Amino acid sequence: MDDSWKEWVHITKLDPDKVIDNDAVAEIATSGTDALMLSGTLNVTQENMRELITQVKEYDLPVVVEPAGPEAVVLEEVDGLFVPSVLNTPDMRWMVGKHQYWVKHNSIDWTKVVPEAYIVLNPASSVGKVTGAICDISAEDVAAYAEVADQYFSFPVVYIEYSGTYGDPTVVAAAAEVISDARLFYGGGINNAEKAAEMGRLADTIVVGNAVYDDGVSALKATVKAVH
Ligand SMILES: CC(C)=CCC/C(C)=C/CC/C(C)=C/CC/C(C)=C/COP(=O)(O)OP(=O)(O)O
Ligand SMILES: O=P(O)(O)OC[C@@H](O)CO
Ligand SMILES: [Mg+2]
């Protein structure tokens, strides 16, 4: 993975566990979004991940996979692998445990891997439930995690994750304030131009997922226009 991902300001997240028709994929691919991130928490298998890759690979925009576990890693025909580590969970499997298992049983092409320091803040999301994240933390707590990720662990990405709900801009601003090297990603509940513009002013990159399925490609396009 070369460093071109550091210029992305808008990522569309597609879920291998959800169905999307080819017309919608074609419109998304030409919407102006910078990249497609194939990612989900529940029911993601090699099979449905490969099906989605086949569906999107014919378009010439970057496609990356964000696995929920070693079993969801597919590297063929994609440009890179964005691997989360969840900072705000007491369950170390989601910070380093699954990663150690993955490395022990596979030979990794590290040039294709971009680590993401996830701070999960929506307890109702699948990722919140699955990882046992401690979501009721303050902006100050979030900023401290962001600084640790950026300055102590040197993660290239800090990802503020509100998956499924629109987050608190003051929390994103607090994280942005303390980060100097990492790219700040924000994802969660962005389904129109206003929300995209607001979080786009605070984070380096916004990620739009559910809106594609719930509100359609026109909503997605509005979020692209708001930041491009
Ligand atoms: C070690 C390797 C290769 C992988 C492990 C990677 C880890 C630790 C992942 C933990 C966090 C996680 C499960 C991320 C999945 C990506 C993600 C956040 C999907 C979207 O969130 P959902 O909560 O599924 O949204 P919905 O509820 O709308 O499906
Ligand atoms: O689905 P939404 O709420 O847009 O969130 C996008 C992404 O952050 C999910 O991992
Ligand atoms: Mg999901």
Side-chain angles (χ1 to χ4, degrees), residues 13 39 66 118 159-165 186-190 207-211:
K13 192 175 272 195
S39 157
E66 184 184 65
Y118 258 71
Y159 193 132
I160 304 281
E161 172 64 295
Y162 275 91
S163 177
T165 190
Y186 170 84
I190 295 179
V207 182
V208 178
N210 283 348

Side-chain angles (χ1 to χ4, degrees), residues 15 18 39-42 126:
D15 191 336
K18 295 177 184 164
S39 157
T41 302
L42 303 175
S126 310

Side-chain angles (χ1 to χ4, degrees), residues 69-85:
E71 68 292 339
V73 171
V74 176
L75 259 178
E76 299 82 44
E77 300 183 295
V78 298
D79 299 297
L81 203 60
F82 280 62
V83 181
S85 275

Side-chain angles (χ1 to χ4, degrees), residues 159-192:
Y159 193 132
I160 304 281
E161 172 64 295
Y162 275 91
S163 177
T165 190
Y166 189 65
D168 178 349
T170 58
V171 166
V172 183
E177 212 171 298
V178 299
I179 291 170
S180 45
D181 306 324
R183 292 281 289 174
L184 179 58
F185 283 22
Y186 170 84
I190 295 179
N191 58 8
N192 64 31

Side-chain angles (χ1 to χ4, degrees), residues 7 121 175 221:
E7 271 95 59
L121 297 173
K221 285 180 176 176

